[in-house]
Amino acid sequence: MIEGINKHFENRIRLGIMSLLMVNQRLDFNRMKESLQVTDGNLASHLNGLEREKYIEVRKSFIGKKPNTSYRATSEGVEAFKQHLNALESIINIKNQNERN
Amino acid sequence: MIEGINKHFENRIRLGIMSLLMVNQRLDFNRMKESLQVTDGNLASHLNGLEREKYIEVRKSFIGKKPNTSYRATSEGVEAFKQHLNALESIINIKNQNERN
DNA sequence: GTATTAACTTTGAATATCAAAGTACTTTTA
DNA sequence: TAAAAGTACTTTGATATTCAAAGTTAATAC
């Protein structure tokens, strides 16, 4: 019933990060911070957690003269996240099935 | 993006409890324990948490001579959970949209 | 040379999570 | 009738998670 749930994606901010990285193949720190409405410290630590699991990768570069740190999901991360979403999807389907009665 | 997520449902065991109570309008302690594969202490504490939020209700009775404690989702709980699932659903949709490209 | 931007790290407190053990009460079994 | 088992917890304690706030480093803009 709940075996497919990946504990690294349970947290809403992590869920948000991964979702953003499904839609944008690459996204930078500040855009994420805006989208998710979190403090930079909090965001950084969740990004760290996902990097530790090799679900995301970091790239540091410059845009013009400004430093820019951007992130993308690894293929491992994409797979793991899809599995997680499938698990959630099947939970939702249980609900919808019930609704038809 | 992640505003609809209800923190009381983030945990996988809580997610499981609520899902079970969407499908079964009433379910007892031991069946839940089996379905979710958790220790009784752990289950009891999550049930407590959901009860504290008034998302579920408890009924104590006897089946034959055995004590039986069963649970059902309150309408408040059903509503809150549906909202949560909608939030998850929209995250999943983002992914699926992306998949078409 | 002060302020600002970017992207953190560190700190520390609060909360969450979980297994294991303990409890209370009853019933079943030998 | 004594021991074992079932039901449904509560308590304990250790560990993990989460978060905001403050501090840091290094560059750039004013």
Side-chain angles (χ1 to χ4, degrees):
Chain A
M1 146 122 275
I2 52 176
E3 321 75 26
I5 303 286
N6 185 326
K7 85 183 314 298
H8 298 106
F9 300 136
E10 274 187 350
N11 174 274
R12 48 197 279 281
I13 295 172
R14 298 247 181 87
L15 207 59
I17 292 169
M18 292 306 291
S19 301
L20 287 171
L21 294 182
M22 296 299 284
V23 181
N24 311 273
Q25 68 278 64
R26 186 171 287 284
L27 196 64
D28 69 35
F29 191 87
N30 275 323
R31 275 178 188 282
M32 269 192 205
K33 201 174 78 167
E34 265 175 54
S35 292
L36 300 173
Q37 303 272 72
V38 284
T39 57
D40 49 3
N42 196 4
L43 178 56
S45 75
H46 283 298
L47 287 167
N48 252 323
L50 291 171
E51 206 197 339
R52 205 176 308 122
E53 298 301 316
K54 305 216 202 287
Y55 290 156
I56 62 172
E57 273 174 7
V58 190
R59 184 173 67 184
K60 280 158 192 291
S61 61
F62 284 84
I63 289 183
K65 300 195 166 176
K66 285 188 186 174
N68 183 275
T69 304
S70 66
Y71 302 86
R72 70 175 202 87
T74 62
S75 51
E76 215 177 318
V78 170
E79 274 322 296
F81 192 57
K82 278 185 189 172
Q83 261 205 300
H84 182 73
L85 294 185
N86 283 339
L88 293 178
E89 209 162 26
S90 63
I91 284 172
I92 290 170
N93 286 340
I94 289 169
K95 176 207 87 172
N96 289 334
Q97 221 169 36
N98 189 242
E99 220 132 88
R100 261 180 251 124
N101 306 334
Chain B
M1 146 123 275
I2 51 175
E3 321 73 28
I5 304 286
N6 183 327
K7 86 181 316 302
H8 298 105
F9 300 137
E10 273 188 348
N11 176 273
R12 48 196 279 283
I13 296 172
R14 299 244 182 89
L15 207 57
I17 293 169
M18 292 306 291
S19 300
L20 289 171
L21 295 182
M22 297 298 286
V23 180
N24 311 275
Q25 68 278 63
R26 186 170 289 281
L27 196 64
D28 68 37
F29 190 86
N30 275 325
R31 277 178 186 283
M32 267 191 205
K33 201 175 76 168
E34 264 175 54
S35 293
L36 300 173
Q37 304 270 71
V38 284
T39 57
D40 49 2
N42 195 3
L43 178 56
S45 76
H46 284 298
L47 287 167
N48 251 324
L50 292 171
E51 206 197 340
R52 203 177 309 121
E53 298 302 316
K54 303 215 203 293
Y55 290 156
I56 62 172
E57 272 173 8
V58 189
R59 183 173 67 184
K60 279 158 194 290
S61 61
F62 283 84
I63 289 183
K65 299 195 167 174
K66 287 186 185 175
N68 182 275
T69 305
S70 65
Y71 302 87
R72 68 174 204 88
T74 62
S75 51
E76 215 176 319
V78 170
E79 274 321 297
F81 193 58
K82 278 185 188 171
Q83 260 207 301
H84 181 74
L85 294 184
N86 283 339
L88 294 178
E89 208 161 28
S90 63
I91 284 172
I92 291 169
N93 286 340
I94 288 169
K95 175 206 84 169
N96 289 335
Q97 222 170 34
N98 190 239
E99 221 133 86
R100 264 180 249 123
N101 305 330

